Amino acid sequence: MVAELEPRGVTTFARERVFVLPLTAAIMLVLGLLLAGIYSATDEHGLHRVFQRRSLSGWAVENGQVSDVQYNISSSGPFPGWYYGVPMIIGTALMICVVYWSLRRIAAAPRPPSADLFDLDRSLRSLATTFVMAASSSALAFQIAGLGIITGIVLRSSHTDPVPTIDSSLPPGTIPVEPGHSLALTLILVSILVGIAAVVLLVKAVTISTNLQSLARTISNPNHEPAR
């Protein structure tokens, strides 16, 4: 029998930077949902899932000139307010709990009976830990990308006003309202980049999963020869 006295925790089998990415993604997602919830408004059903802004709603034409310009509160949706945000925050919290539980299981699993397999066992646990972090980071990044794109589209359409015109036979042109319009475009672009990063992390998780299966078969092979 071989006893190992080295303590093992959730962060034992990977570098610290591996844990920073999913933690940062979870914090960004929750903060984004909270911010969207704060700026959300209720729709006709009393649900917080629209964004409201004071915008140009109409005008009159007198003697060939634009007059009586009118503003009103316009609503745009679907906006990720409290109606959508609260379930997502709860889901994110549950994901963090599942990830922590998975890391605990990886760290607490018993070592193989032979000390010759300890190096392979450590490699297996490191791969498993990295897989959990990559998969959870990918899932969170997809959520952030989706949230950002939807929010950006709503904000972009909301921060666009018609241009008053004296020719009522033609549809009025539109003009972007700054800085909201530019911020919305920036949010959409950043979200697309986050989505690409999510795909990269997903591919990495699949690759690690393949390596995990191969290494697990090596450890469980009774004809395995100790590494020299």
Side-chain angles (χ1 to χ4, degrees), residues 23-24 40 47 84 112 132 181 204 213:
L23 181 60
T24 302
S40 66
L47 302 176
Y84 302 106
V132 171
H181 192 269
K204 180 179 180 180
Q213 295 176 9

Side-chain angles (χ1 to χ4, degrees), residues 74-119:
S74 63
S75 298
S76 302
F79 187 73
W82 297 123
Y83 179 76
Y84 302 106
V86 172
M88 291 182 66
I89 291 174
I90 295 175
T92 302
L94 290 176
M95 176 182 288
I96 293 173
C97 293
V98 170
V99 168
Y100 181 80
W101 176 81
S102 300
L103 295 177
R104 289 285 298 176
R105 287 289 301 272
I106 293 171
R111 284 287 208 179
S114 174
D116 295 330
L117 297 175
F118 278 11
D119 288 341

Side-chain angles (χ1 to χ4, degrees), residues 85-206:
V86 172
M88 291 182 66
I89 291 174
I90 295 175
T92 302
L94 290 176
M95 176 182 288
I96 293 173
C97 293
V98 170
V99 168
Y100 181 80
W101 176 81
S102 300
L103 295 177
R104 289 285 298 176
R105 287 289 301 272
I106 293 171
R111 284 287 208 179
S114 174
D116 295 330
L117 297 175
F118 278 11
D119 288 341
L120 285 176
D121 177 69
R122 185 175 184 87
S123 298
L124 180 65
R125 293 173 193 261
S126 296
L127 280 175
T129 299
T130 306
F131 168 78
V132 171
M133 294 294 95
S136 59
S137 297
S138 177
L140 290 169
F142 275 119
Q143 293 286 350
I144 294 173
L147 173 69
I149 291 175
I150 293 174
T151 304
I153 291 174
V154 172
L155 293 178
R156 178 178 176 272
S157 63
S158 177
H159 288 84
T160 303
D161 279 350
V163 179
T165 176
I166 60 174
D167 190 350
S168 59
S169 63
L170 297 176
T174 58
I175 184 172
V177 180
E178 301 295 352
H181 192 269
S182 295
L183 290 176
L185 293 177
T186 302
L187 180 59
I188 293 174
L189 176 60
V190 172
S191 298
I192 292 174
L193 295 177
V194 173
I196 295 174
V199 173
V200 173
L201 288 169
L202 180 60
V203 172
K204 180 179 180 180
V206 173

Side-chain angles (χ1 to χ4, degrees), residues 205-223:
V206 173
T207 303
I208 294 173
S209 177
T210 303
N211 295 337
L212 267 173
Q213 295 176 9
S214 177
L215 188 56
R217 286 194 296 267
T218 301
I219 294 178
S220 62
N221 185 0
N223 297 322

Side-chain angles (χ1 to χ4, degrees), residues 6-66:
E6 179 184 357
R8 289 175 284 163
V10 295
T11 60
T12 300
F13 297 99
R15 297 178 180 179
E16 292 183 358
R17 61 181 176 85
V18 175
F19 303 96
V20 171
L21 182 59
L23 181 60
T24 302
I27 292 174
M28 288 179 58
L29 178 58
V30 172
L31 289 178
L33 291 169
L34 291 175
L35 191 62
I38 292 173
Y39 281 94
S40 66
T42 55
D43 60 7
E44 64 275 12
H45 301 291
L47 302 176
H48 280 264
R49 54 184 182 183
V50 296
F51 177 80
Q52 291 185 340
R53 189 185 71 85
R54 183 175 180 269
S55 60
L56 182 64
S57 60
W59 58 88
V61 177
E62 295 181 0
N63 300 323
Q65 294 183 345
V66 173

